[in-house]
Amino acid sequence: MFLPAVREPPPVATEESMMTAVPRLVFSAPSSGHGTNALSVGLLAALADRGLDVAGFKVGPDHVDAAYLGLAAGRPGRTLDPRLIGGDRLGPLFAYGAQGAALALVQGTMGLYDSVAGRPEAESTAAVATALRSPVVLVIDVAAMGQSVAALVHGFRSYDEQLWLGGAILTQVASGRHEAMLREALDDVGMPVYGALRRHELPPVLPARRHGVVPVLGRDAEASRAVRRLGEAVAGTVDLERLLGLARSAPALSVPAWSPVSATPVGDAPVVALAGGPGGSYSHPETAELLRAAGAQVVTVDPLRDEALPAGTRALVVGGALPESYARDLSANRRLCIAVAELARTGRPVTAEGTGLLWLARELDGLPMCGVLDAIGASRDGLVVGYREATALSDSAVARTGATVVGYKQHGAVLTPRSGQRAAWSWEGGTPEGFVWRGVHASQLGLHWAAYPEIATRLVTAAALPSPVEGVAAPA
């Protein structure tokens, strides 16, 4: 059964809505591991259960956290990554995704002032909060902390005078006496406390991270139960009304909402299959929205369960959130593998990122895949993680030769060879990477299409053309 990739996007902003007034908060922490993700998901679930329209965002490239924020909110969770989308798009993309929300919650990444790429002044959670003029709530694991919590909070507040540190939520509190001590210390430095959770009150109930976004996209009961439990935990321990009051004190943003609308949509609405499930796709939500705006009929295909492409498919898009841990399921779906190979053989546009590249290979760890690319994948210990400033080496449905992009890589498995006769990308310090073959563009580099909306137009335009190749076998 084929389902729409995502719910219909909110209405496009008009000139009258240049000032975006939406209550908002940023949740961050001194470092990873303080419970920010569980609290963010729980707060959205608790407020949604009260009937409020809420929206969730994740700082950085993390599809998984964004997916659970979306599940809790009931609308697509979106990423806000200054490196991938550019700092000038932060406000517009936030305004677009938050339209109509009574609360928009932005979940930070790592520590408040940290940046993977070493650019905290532009790419940290603090930088995003400042750009959005949003109050920050610091989530602090106080399991091994007493009055020193006041010094920690004071330091985070004074480190950047432009940052609006509006309060704290304490996790891993040992007892009522411990809580009273912490509250008194924070009161001495004028820092409001919006909640204090005991060690058992924020249970690790979300599905294991190795499953990636699959439980959300598949609408698994386990994922829904986990989100509901976190909502109940937050509702019972956090002062929701005071938090909403803080969020409502955020000033209006003087930015127009981003729009996926294309200036020249294709007329005949070619069917573009988007890899995903009933709960969304393996791509950023903006990908489907841009494809629709460019004139495509976007239909979801589940590479783990569907045995055929949607009827009339003229292009396939496989986003970077498909987990490597599902290689056996991808391989077992032989009928879909054959259908994908046939689509690629006829020259139709096929774009694949991350594990999508591995799926198109001959095999991965000895398991047969689609056989579109003459390459073999193998898993290895450790992850390749990081941003790349890449240059296109070949014309394709994704980019013209010489075009430059910023993408993100996160993978364990590698392909041999690393690239085909026509490589997709090159970047400083690395050898050419990825494959361009007929209509195929496959790479382990993931892009955010909102930064490059022309990709959707190029792909839909190519999908609308007659089939360029007939009667030629795909590579072995």
Side-chain angles (χ1 to χ4, degrees):
M1 178 179 181
F2 303 111
L3 298 149
V6 292
R7 74 198 304 191
E8 288 300 312
V12 175
T14 63
E15 291 297 323
E16 288 75 20
S17 60
M18 296 288 280
M19 294 290 287
T20 301
V22 56
R24 57 195 181 275
L25 296 171
V26 172
F27 272 17
S28 190
S31 65
S32 299
H34 286 247
T36 310
N37 179 226
L39 267 172
S40 298
V41 170
L43 178 63
L44 290 175
L47 294 176
D49 189 56
R50 288 187 168 197
L52 273 67
D53 193 349
V54 292
F57 300 83
K58 170 68 179 179
V59 177
D62 190 345
H63 289 272
V64 180
D65 285 355
Y68 282 98
L69 294 170
L71 180 60
R75 65 160 79 183
R78 300 175 188 268
T79 58
L80 294 174
D81 189 319
R83 190 73 180 278
L84 290 183
I85 64 175
D88 58 337
R89 291 188 183 86
L90 273 176
L93 276 172
F94 172 82
Y96 172 73
Q99 288 181 72
L103 173 76
L105 177 65
V106 180
Q107 179 192 330
T109 183
M110 302 184 296
L112 177 58
Y113 294 107
D114 295 332
S115 164
V116 170
R119 302 178 181 179
E121 71 286 349
E123 298 173 8
S124 65
T125 298
V128 172
T130 300
L132 297 180
R133 303 179 69 192
S134 175
V136 175
V137 175
L138 200 64
V139 178
I140 310 169
D141 181 337
V142 294
M145 193 178 298
Q147 289 89 344
S148 293
V149 69
L152 183 147
V153 168
H154 175 71
F156 270 81
R157 182 173 56 189
S158 60
Y159 184 79
D160 182 356
E161 62 183 17
Q162 291 186 310
L163 185 80
W164 180 3
L165 187 53
I169 295 178
L170 311 178
T171 64
Q172 301 296 311
V173 178
S175 65
R177 183 170 176 271
H178 187 207
E179 179 182 342
M181 176 197 304
L182 296 164
R183 286 183 178 272
E184 182 179 356
L186 289 171
D187 185 60
D188 286 344
V189 294
M191 184 56 57
V193 176
Y194 292 99
L197 289 85
R198 300 290 193 270
R199 291 174 177 172
H200 64 279
E201 288 177 332
L202 202 62
V205 292
L206 291 175
R209 196 160 180 91
R210 69 176 180 277
H211 296 301
V213 301
V214 171
V216 175
L217 301 194
R219 292 179 175 165
D220 291 1
E222 178 189 3
S224 297
R225 283 195 300 268
V227 168
R228 185 170 60 252
R229 284 189 63 188
L230 291 175
E232 292 167 351
V234 168
T237 55
V238 173
D239 192 332
L240 301 181
E241 291 303 324
R242 288 179 65 216
L243 266 183
L244 284 171
L246 176 64
R248 289 167 182 153
S249 68
L253 290 173
S254 301
V255 295
W258 176 82
S259 170
V261 172
S262 172
T264 55
V266 175
D268 67 348
V271 174
V272 175
L274 185 62
S281 79
Y282 292 109
S283 304
H284 297 284
E286 293 84 358
T287 298
E289 294 160 358
L290 285 162
L291 287 169
R292 290 196 187 95
Q297 179 185 347
V298 180
V299 185
T300 298
V301 59
D302 188 338
L304 305 177
R305 298 177 179 87
D306 291 333
E307 295 186 349
L309 291 167
T313 293
R314 297 169 72 92
L316 171 65
V317 176
V318 186
L322 182 63
E324 291 182 7
S325 58
Y326 283 80
R328 190 168 298 278
D329 301 79
L330 292 169
S331 176
N333 194 351
R334 298 313 307 156
R335 290 185 178 180
L336 186 60
C337 285
I338 293 169
V340 170
E342 177 63 15
L343 187 74
R345 180 194 67 80
T346 60
R348 290 293 180 196
V350 176
T351 68
E353 297 176 345
T355 303
L357 166 67
L358 304 172
W359 187 37
L360 297 185
R362 277 196 294 165
E363 63 181 58
L364 172 59
D365 294 335
L367 299 170
M369 293 292 166
C370 293
V372 172
L373 306 174
D374 189 12
I376 294 174
S379 298
R380 64 178 191 179
D381 294 334
L383 286 176
V384 175
V385 178
Y387 296 94
R388 302 289 187 273
E389 296 180 10
T391 301
L393 296 180
S394 307
D395 282 341
S396 69
V398 172
R400 296 184 184 278
T401 302
T404 58
V405 299
V406 176
Y408 185 77
K409 288 169 67 77
Q410 181 171 332
H411 60 87
V414 296
L415 271 189
T416 304
R418 178 182 167 91
S419 64
Q421 291 183 349
R422 296 172 61 205
W425 306 110
S426 67
W427 50 77
E428 185 176 354
T431 57
E433 190 264 6
F435 295 74
V436 176
W437 178 77
R438 294 187 184 163
V440 174
H441 184 284
S443 167
Q444 287 178 310
L445 188 71
L447 306 180
H448 197 304
W449 285 23
Y452 312 101
E454 65 275 10
I455 296 176
T457 302
R458 289 176 65 85
L459 187 137
V460 175
T461 300
L465 296 173
S467 178
V469 180
E470 293 292 347
V472 181

